[in-house]
Amino acid sequence: MRILIIGSGGREHALAWRLAQSSRVETVFVAPGNGGTARDAALRNVALTDPVELADFARREKIDLTVVGPEAPLAAGVVDRFREHGLRIFGPTQAAAQLESSKDYAKRFLVRHDIPTARHQTFTEPAAAHAYVDEQGAPIVIKADGLAAGKGVVVADTTAEAHAAIDAMLGDGSLGAAGARVVIEECLVGEEVSFIVMCDGQHVLPLATSQDHKRLLNGDQGPNTGGMGAYSPAPLVTPQLHNRIMREVILPTVQGMKNDGVPYSGFLYAGLMISPATADKPAGIKVLEFNCRMGDPETQPILMRLKGDFLRVMEHAVNGTLDQAEIDWDRRSALGVVMAAANYPATPRAGDVIDGLPADHPDCMVFHAGTVLDADGKVRTAGGRVLCVTALGDSVKLAQQRAYQAVDQIRFAGAQVRRDIGWRAIKPTGSHP
Ligand code: AMP
Ligand code: GLY
């Protein structure tokens, strides 16, 4: 079989690497791919990003199955373009991808279907938004409605910060059309988990649980990023909580989309805030956001743990038979540490030579993201998050040690690495080392 993966990040490198291991796979193309997918003899990069050109490529090259990594092509309708030509592709249609591409759509959906989420209101007029902030007080969360590459959410500790965020989004149009509408919502407290499932429009297959670290600096401090590291499983998600998340969030979401006439197929990622149980109340579960794709870097540790034939699972997903699919998970933990470029997240520097990359090993993989392979064979930085060094171990602690051993061999100028990925899972009392 001939497979096409759309995207260029660490998530796509991991998807391509895992699918290439299936004995029935002949070639895996990655569009556009990165330095890591270029170096792997089992993968082939294709310099395409436009949905129409990708569909033409898939027809011409007789691609049997396409998997979409990031949200942008989904929001641009790549699944609709492929389906018009009868091509098999795994991902939501443009209409279903609104669960991620419009926060207002997602919030209205959650409220309509009685799925727990933060209290909110949506605004297009700055004056009304400012008045709402004055009435609600701080802390409060301001979100641009549209896709803003991780820059669209401001968790404001003071009303002054909230007013400034409203001015930036609604006033001076700093986020363009994405910020022409804002969602203002109650600030939730607790611990975040990434709950990712596969859907075929009707059935749901949950993937292993995971948790990521969104802040740039040790101790979960500093600016928000796409994610500086992740691990799987997330010990916070006990079997009991898992059942509740399925029953209270995931199944009503998939059923709700079906009832609304927008059946959801593809990966579905619910970002959840879990508030601790108290003597008289069970743990609280609230939806922070939906993503219509897998998480990055959550995918890297999740796929390290996936055993068996991932292609077979994908085939069930596109054939509408996910109820017959099963995934066997490695009982070990996996942990991925992101190495980011100098000046990430504001203005990441490109062009730094990367040395010391270890050889691939089934228990320790370096997934590439913002890298390019030069004509002279050198790998250079070419984006914000550069690498995700991911290792398996008998405990989170051992996976962490193994990942950092590999991280410490890799060198590039200005590399930014957190040293504490996984700390919440290693110290369940929640104290930072
Ligand atoms: P989102 O893109 O909606 O996931 O938001 C990005 C990050 O902002 C989340 O991962 C949370 O860390 C934070 N966040 C979003 N909404 C809230 C909220 N209602 N309360 C507290 N933190 C939030
Ligand atoms: N790691 C968070 C995300 O993929 O959205």
Side-chain angles (χ1 to χ4, degrees):
M1 292 212 0
R2 293 161 75 76
I3 311 287
L4 171 63
I5 307 288
I6 298 176
S8 63
R11 166 183 49 212
E12 289 76 30
H13 187 185
L15 281 164
W17 162 81
R18 191 44 102 198
L19 279 166
Q21 288 166 355
S22 171
S23 58
R24 289 177 298 134
V25 168
E26 171 200 327
T27 313
V28 180
F29 295 94
V30 191
N34 57 39
T37 55
R39 267 165 35 123
D40 187 329
L43 312 176
R44 279 172 62 184
N45 283 1
V46 188
L48 292 176
T49 52
D50 176 72
V52 173
E53 290 177 17
L54 285 164
D56 286 343
F57 172 84
R59 269 200 307 181
R60 206 168 56 237
E61 290 291 333
K62 304 202 166 20
I63 299 294
D64 299 290
L65 172 68
T66 299
V67 182
V68 190
E71 64 277 14
L74 294 165
V78 72
V79 169
D80 308 71
R81 297 292 84 74
F82 273 60
R83 292 213 182 132
E84 280 160 15
H85 296 292
L87 293 161
R88 290 207 302 176
I89 183 164
F90 187 56
T93 59
Q94 187 171 36
Q98 287 179 94
L99 274 186
E100 175 169 3
S101 66
S102 167
K103 303 233 184 243
D104 178 52
Y105 176 95
K107 294 297 285 192
R108 283 189 285 118
F109 173 86
L110 288 162
V111 172
R112 185 164 67 244
H113 294 285
D114 215 10
I115 300 166
T117 187
R119 235 177 330 107
H120 86 288
Q121 276 195 34
T122 299
F123 298 92
T124 52
E125 291 303 324
H130 287 301
Y132 184 71
V133 164
D134 286 332
E135 179 195 310
Q136 297 292 316
I140 192 156
V141 182
I142 317 291
K143 300 184 174 186
D145 176 55
L147 294 180
K151 299 195 176 79
V153 175
V154 174
V155 181
D157 290 323
T158 62
T159 51
E161 272 177 75
H163 289 305
I166 292 168
D167 284 336
M169 291 179 199
L170 287 179
D172 65 19
S174 64
L175 291 174
R181 206 185 324 202
V182 298
V183 167
I184 303 187
E185 69 179 29
E186 157 199 18
C187 188
L188 301 174
V189 287
E191 201 170 325
E192 282 180 58
V193 297
S194 310
F195 200 91
I196 307 173
V197 302
M198 294 173 75
C199 306
D200 65 9
Q202 181 158 5
H203 314 104
V204 179
L205 182 68
L207 300 181
T209 59
S210 61
Q211 212 163 342
D212 79 338
H213 291 268
K214 291 212 165 60
R215 303 297 191 101
L216 182 69
L217 306 173
N218 290 343
D220 297 321
Q221 304 293 314
N224 253 320
T225 70
M228 293 298 290
Y231 50 94
S232 171
L236 181 68
V237 185
T238 58
Q240 195 188 10
L241 190 61
H242 194 282
N243 287 342
R244 280 189 56 205
I245 294 169
M246 287 297 287
R247 208 170 55 232
E248 295 172 27
V249 174
I250 302 296
L251 297 176
T253 298
V254 175
Q255 191 60 46
M257 291 297 279
K258 198 172 157 213
N259 293 349
D260 287 356
V262 199
Y264 192 95
S265 52
F267 293 105
L268 178 67
Y269 167 146
L272 304 171
M273 188 69 93
I274 309 296
S275 60
T278 58
D280 48 351
K281 260 205 329 219
I285 303 171
K286 285 196 174 162
V287 176
L288 286 173
E289 60 158 350
F290 285 120
N291 294 314
C292 54
R293 49 172 177 79
M294 290 187 85
D296 189 338
E298 292 93 325
T299 300
Q300 292 85 317
I302 290 174
L303 290 186
M304 286 288 284
R305 295 185 56 223
L306 184 140
K307 300 208 292 191
D309 187 357
F310 192 32
L311 177 62
R312 181 167 293 283
V313 178
M314 279 291 172
E315 287 178 310
H316 279 300
V318 290
N319 292 340
T321 51
L322 266 183
D323 54 327
Q324 294 166 35
E326 249 183 321
I327 302 178
D328 200 9
W329 298 105
D330 196 313
R331 298 183 70 83
R332 290 175 293 173
S333 294
L335 182 140
V337 178
V338 168
M339 301 183 75
N343 305 330
Y344 175 74
T347 49
R349 185 172 76 201
D352 291 308
V353 174
I354 305 170
D355 286 313
L357 286 166
D360 288 356
H361 185 283
D363 289 355
C364 185
M365 282 292 301
V366 179
F367 296 113
H368 289 230
T371 70
V372 283
L373 178 62
D374 276 353
D376 60 5
K378 285 200 169 74
V379 182
R380 291 177 193 270
T381 64
R385 290 183 293 169
V386 175
L387 304 168
C388 181
V389 182
T390 313
L392 285 162
D394 285 327
S395 65
V396 179
K397 179 93 201 151
L398 290 169
Q400 187 196 49
Q401 276 170 5
R402 178 137 201 200
Y404 280 111
Q405 272 164 18
V407 164
D408 290 337
Q409 291 169 28
I410 302 171
R411 292 171 309 277
F412 57 90
Q416 300 189 76
V417 182
R418 276 183 59 164
R419 300 301 309 186
D420 63 346
I421 298 304
W423 69 269
R424 285 176 195 275
I426 293 166
K427 284 210 181 285
T429 50
S431 63
H432 189 262

